[in-house]
Amino acid sequence: MEQEFKYRTIAASTTAEFKDRGSKFLAYAYAVSTTADIKEKLQRLKKEHPKAVHHCYAYRLGTNGMQYRANDDGEPSGSAGKPILGQIDSAGLTNVLVVVVRYFGGTLLGVPGLINAYKTSTADALSAAPVTEKWIEEKFEIHFDYPVMGEVLYLLKQAEATVYQQELQLFCIVKTGIPRRHTADYVQRLSEIRGVTVKSIKEEV
């Protein structure tokens, strides 16, 4: 039953290298939680590898795994992004981005050769990454007056909630993620505190 409330992702970034007939494939695996994270990682790699011919990537985001993308970045259709995404999925991971940077070695590899290169480099990067299980959270915005801050923060701590943003002034706002396994219980308890309003917020991407 507990497994329904958890998701698997990687705990650290890793890299791997694969070579075939002079071409070099550098795979970078990252833990990500938003599309902004993904853009930032891609931009950084493009700056690091300006002479690479392709920066192919795939990601899966969100605890329901419904957000994903596979990008061939100029390689033949389906030869790069799909094999990368396939490895993320076969490892049962989400909130993961893998970018494979290719330096062309002068010999065409053909679609089967490309699929093998992107698949193998991704698999090597992911197999080197430590995998962690995290609680699936529901996101909320909590509004309350300063005098009840102690009660609110105590309940969030008890709930093992993640605080993403907080403004603790005369009127306070906290953006938080409460583990789904006991969301209903703690939302009710928070709502019972005088002057507290709890609003559900959609996953920010």
Side-chain angles (χ1 to χ4, degrees), residues 6 9-10 17 45 51 62 73 79 92 117 119 125 153 168 194 197:
K6 288 183 173 180
T9 190
I10 58 174
E17 185 178 309
L45 280 178
K51 292 182 178 172
D73 191 35
S79 67
K119 184 178 170 182
L153 295 184
L168 303 177
R194 185 183 170 88
T197 57

Side-chain angles (χ1 to χ4, degrees), residues 23 44 67 95 112 115 117 132 140 146 154 166-167:
S23 277
R44 196 189 317 159
Q67 277 180 281
N95 285 8
I115 290 171
T132 181
F140 296 94
Y146 190 80
Y154 173 72
Q166 55 183 22
E167 290 171 40

Side-chain angles (χ1 to χ4, degrees), residues 5 135-142 155-156 158-162 176-191 198-201:
F5 296 109
W135 292 109
I136 294 174
E137 295 177 336
E138 301 276 348
K139 302 274 176 61
F140 296 94
E141 192 171 276
I142 305 169
L155 279 180
L156 290 178
Q158 265 199 327
E160 299 170 78
T162 310
T176 185
I178 300 175
R180 188 179 284 169
R181 69 190 195 280
H182 48 217
T183 299
D185 180 30
Y186 279 95
V187 167
Q188 187 181 340
R189 289 166 72 178
L190 285 161
S191 302
V198 182
K199 288 196 299 187
S200 178
I201 51 178

Side-chain angles (χ1 to χ4, degrees), residues 161-178:
T162 310
V163 174
Y164 291 100
Q165 218 178 315
Q166 55 183 22
E167 290 171 40
L168 303 177
Q169 294 161 359
L170 194 59
F171 188 70
C172 307
I173 301 171
V174 170
K175 283 187 179 176
T176 185
I178 300 175

Side-chain angles (χ1 to χ4, degrees), residues 99-111:
V99 185
V100 181
V101 176
R102 181 190 181 189
Y103 286 89
F104 184 54
T107 304
L108 293 172
L109 303 183
V111 169

